[in-house]
Amino acid sequence: MFSKHHFAKRFSKKMLFLAVFSGLVIMTTMPLTYYYFTYIGERNHAVSESDEIASLLAQSIMDNPQLWQFNAQKFIQVFETTDLKQVNSVLIYDADGSLIRKEVLSKPSLFEILGRSAIRYNNRIYGYVEVNHTGYNLVYQSGILFLMFGALGITMGWVLYRLPTKIIFKAEKDIIKAVDTLNHMSYHDPLTGLPNRKKLEHELEGIINQAREKNLRAAVLFIDLDRFKIVNDNFGHIKGDILLKVIADRLMSLTEQGQVLARFGGDEFILVIPGVTQLGEVQLKAREIIDEMQKSILVGSDELYVSASIGISTFPDDGEDVSTLVKYADQAMYSAKEQGKNRYVNFSPGLGQSLTEHYLLENSLRKAIERNELLVFYQPIVDIRTQRIIGAEALLRWQHPNQGLLPPANFIHLAEDTGQIIPIGQWVLSTACKQLRDWHAAGFPSISMSLNLSPTQFRDRNLVKVISDTLKQNDINPGQLILEITENVSMNYEEQFIIKLQSLKKLGVKVAIDDFGKGYSSLNYLKQFSVDLLKIDRSFVDGIHNNMKDKAIVKAIIEMANHLNIEVMAEGVEYKEQRLALEHNRCYLMQGYLFRGPIPQEQFQEILLSYSKLVC
Amino acid sequence: MKRLFIKFVALNLLFSLLFAIGCKTRTLETSIEKEKIGEFIIAGSGSNLPITSRLVEQYNQLEGKDAKVPKSIGSSGAIKAASEGVISLGLISRPLKQEELNQGLKQIPYARVGIIIGTNSDVLDNNITSQDLVDIFWGKKNRWQNGQMIIVLSREKGDSTNKVLEDLIPGFKNALHDSLKKKRWQVYYTDLEESEAIVNTPSSIGFTDTGALTALNLRIKPLQVNGIEPTIANLKNGSYPLYKDLFFVYKESASEETTKFLDFVRSDEGQRIISANGGIPLKGN
């Protein structure tokens, strides 16, 4: 820490010496100079008076050399005829130094100025005259001067001392403040004002040491917000920051005396609870936090919802140092996410293993594109009226080196969480478009290509440009590309959704609503925007031949689509009865295992080449 | 802050004080051998000198002695010198005070002289009243009858003549003291200086006595006081009140030389000399 007032104090000490010295010079120089010269003048005056008296007395000696010292009248004459205004007393001594006469003219003063002369006659010394001038005036005037210059000296000295000292103290105070601010900044998160990671580690270290000494337990709660990324991407960083602040405030309100709350990373917070006696307390706190996080947050006009996943590690059960405890709490948090988010998980050694696998998978996924491990399978889309393949849906597969062929369900969430969905999505788009170009070139110009867009992809700002560029590169008619989005894509950000949809429509590509009827349905955008295709969710198709409700719903969807002039397609068609029921209800576009499941492009091409009609 | 300020002031003051203290001076003493007087010396008041000088001259001549009479050292100088044994015989024109008597001094009155209020010989006035004298010293009367400016020649405070006039002329004391204080008139400090000044200063007025006037044959015009001439006869019959007695003073017991001289003064010859020089002989014990 910065040593407070260290420099200023030293400076102040030095200035004190300088100020005292300067004050002394000012307060003494003038009075002493005045005193010295006036004293010399007065002394000379006294000497000239004693000279005059001595010379007058010399006449008396001339008259009466033997008895001059008894001639009182002569003394009186001398005293009365000589101007002795400032003289206190005149003392006349004989040659031996014995006092002959003392003439006191005024009250003796404490300080006198002496003038002394010998009484000479005929080359002999007969005695001495001492004239004592009063030093009162000199002392008085010098005193007045001393007081004046003393006041001036003290004032000047004081100013000389205080002014620079004050400035230095102020400057140092500012520096200390700046240093403190810097210190605070380096130990605190500027957005929420909470301690940052560095500070947390320091505090946690202290809490661990204390817990070790007192034989207590301590808990680390690793809190990560679920779906924060969505909010940030949809509403922008400003609103995201506001949300974080609100979350931080809420967490702070739940933080009790002695506990430490820190912002660990983007949407990660850590709460350290010292002095834990029962794990139940910690779990209670975790529950409290989860409940608090679920409450809606009003940011501007938007009502936002987030939840939190919490991982808990405890000292000394799970680890005895900062990094281990944080790492395990982090792992437990990941586990909570894995288990469906919005929950807390206590660390257990088994978690480590599964999380290690998780991390390995994440790393492998990063390299999957480079290693050409990703594949696109294609599932035919059939028009039942013509019995022909009219298009293909591109479906992603991962040929994992160890785990074999993985469906998207096994890794697409990971890709979403890590942001890899964007490059992967672009790769799929590019691959599918190249494939479509090849098929067109091979003599199947009417085939269209359907692609699934995840919410994250849909929110990608570059989406429209990337699609446009890819279509141009592959010389594909935009009308032959169908982008499938789920209804949930539009959730929470209808405005942006509409804008993005408009842009895509402008480009000329077709838009299909995937899994229609399953999720968050807004019929409003069906009205407002020309969606090209509705894909009836497989859950309705499943029961269409034997479930009246499913049948009714499917019928209603088809009816609605027909009336809105939107094409309708059924997915997940597996049985002939289903096909017939759909056909009966005037739904002619179908997709499902009844025709073909997702297959590699070679097989798909074979089907195209071998069969222009799919027998079913 | 307050304590610091007080410290600051105190420190400054302390240093200044120490600095200022170094400025006091001391006297230097030089010793010179004192001359011893071993002669028969008769010295003292100027009033005594004219008559006494005549006595000593005659005594020296008759007895073949070398007694000396130096210039005036005043009555107090004579008392001091006699009491210290520096002179054999002192001359005083006022009686000893009690404290002086207590010092073991003895006084012998030997002559009475009339105090003369005299003028320069050019002054036409013959008479002066007591009031005139007071007015002159106050400065109220400043011209003689012929219109000439009066020049006052005063004596110092404590002079034996002044003492007599202060006692006998009402208002004179205040007028004199005021004039001395305001330095109104020229002041002389010996009888001889005063007499010579009167002689040499036209239109002047001052004091002398019958002894000096006679013995020194001074060209001073004595004024009648309130119409009474300052003559020996008027002194003797008491009509002229202004006089002073002259004394010898010596430290008991008197030396042989002193006794011899005093005997001479008491002798007929001595008495004659006193009378011949404007004094009335007084036979003291």
Side-chain angles (χ1 to χ4, degrees), chain A residues 16 19-25 27-28 32 35 39 43 63-74 76-78 80-81 93-101 110-114 116 124-126 128 130 132 146 153-158 161-162, chain B residues 1 4-5 8-9 11-13 15-17 19-20 23-37 39 41 43-46 68 70-78 80-82 84 86-87 155-157 159 180 183 187 189-191 193:
Chain A
L16 182 65
V20 168
F21 178 74
S22 308
L24 276 174
V25 169
M27 75 195 296
T28 55
L32 284 177
Y35 176 88
Y39 174 81
R43 202 186 58 185
D63 289 344
N64 200 344
Q66 291 172 327
L67 298 173
W68 69 273
Q69 65 268 45
F70 297 104
N71 194 345
Q73 279 163 303
K74 191 67 186 175
I76 292 168
Q77 180 185 3
V78 166
E80 289 187 359
T81 54
Y93 300 90
D94 66 11
D96 290 341
S98 306
L99 183 68
I100 298 169
R101 186 171 179 102
L110 202 63
F111 180 68
E112 290 180 333
I113 301 160
L114 180 75
R116 185 184 167 91
R124 280 185 61 194
I125 292 175
Y126 280 80
Y128 299 92
E130 271 184 15
N132 287 308
F146 180 76
I154 287 167
T155 309
M156 292 301 287
W158 186 247
Y161 168 64
R162 283 305 299 165
Chain B
M1 174 76 81
L4 192 69
F5 183 76
F8 182 82
V9 172
L11 218 62
N12 271 302
L13 287 175
F15 279 119
S16 309
L17 203 67
F19 204 75
C23 301
K24 196 88 166 124
T25 54
R26 278 311 314 150
T27 57
L28 284 167
E29 295 290 345
T30 315
S31 177
I32 285 201
E33 203 184 327
K34 199 179 190 178
E35 193 184 343
K36 274 278 171 203
I37 302 170
E39 301 165 313
I41 293 174
S45 169
K68 288 197 166 87
K71 283 189 178 175
S72 168
I73 57 170
S75 293
S76 56
K80 196 177 177 203
E84 288 182 13
V86 177
I87 56 172
R155 286 298 304 271
E156 82 280 7
K157 194 172 162 185
D159 168 63
L180 289 172
K183 297 187 186 299
V187 178
Y189 292 85
T190 63
D191 285 30
E193 284 172 359

Side-chain angles (χ1 to χ4, degrees), chain B residues 14 31 33-34 39 65-66 86 89 93-95 100 106 134 178 185 188 193 213 223 225 232 242 250 255 284:
Chain B
L14 183 71
S31 177
E33 203 184 327
K34 199 179 190 178
E39 301 165 313
K65 300 285 183 185
D66 190 24
V86 177
L89 206 55
S93 53
R94 60 162 176 86
E100 291 161 347
K106 191 169 172 62
V134 172
D178 185 71
W185 316 119
Y188 293 90
E193 284 172 359
L213 201 66
L223 293 177
V225 177
I232 297 296
L242 307 177
Y250 59 91
S255 67

Side-chain angles (χ1 to χ4, degrees), chain A residues 120 155 190 257 290 294 537 583:
Chain A
R120 294 170 190 277
T155 309
Q257 182 80 26
I290 286 165
Q294 281 177 323
D537 188 65
E583 195 175 4

Side-chain angles (χ1 to χ4, degrees), chain A residues 463-482:
Chain A
L463 178 71
V464 179
K465 189 173 183 303
V466 169
I467 291 172
S468 166
D469 290 349
T470 311
L471 288 172
K472 278 178 192 164
Q473 279 166 17
N474 296 292
D475 198 21
I476 290 168
N477 176 10
Q480 290 181 299
L481 182 66
I482 300 165

Side-chain angles (χ1 to χ4, degrees), chain B residues 128-141 169-172 175 225-226:
Chain B
I128 188 166
T129 65
S130 300
Q131 192 56 47
D132 285 342
L133 187 68
V134 172
D135 288 347
I136 286 169
F137 270 80
W138 275 117
K140 292 177 190 166
K141 178 179 169 66
I169 297 177
F172 181 74
V225 177
N226 299 322

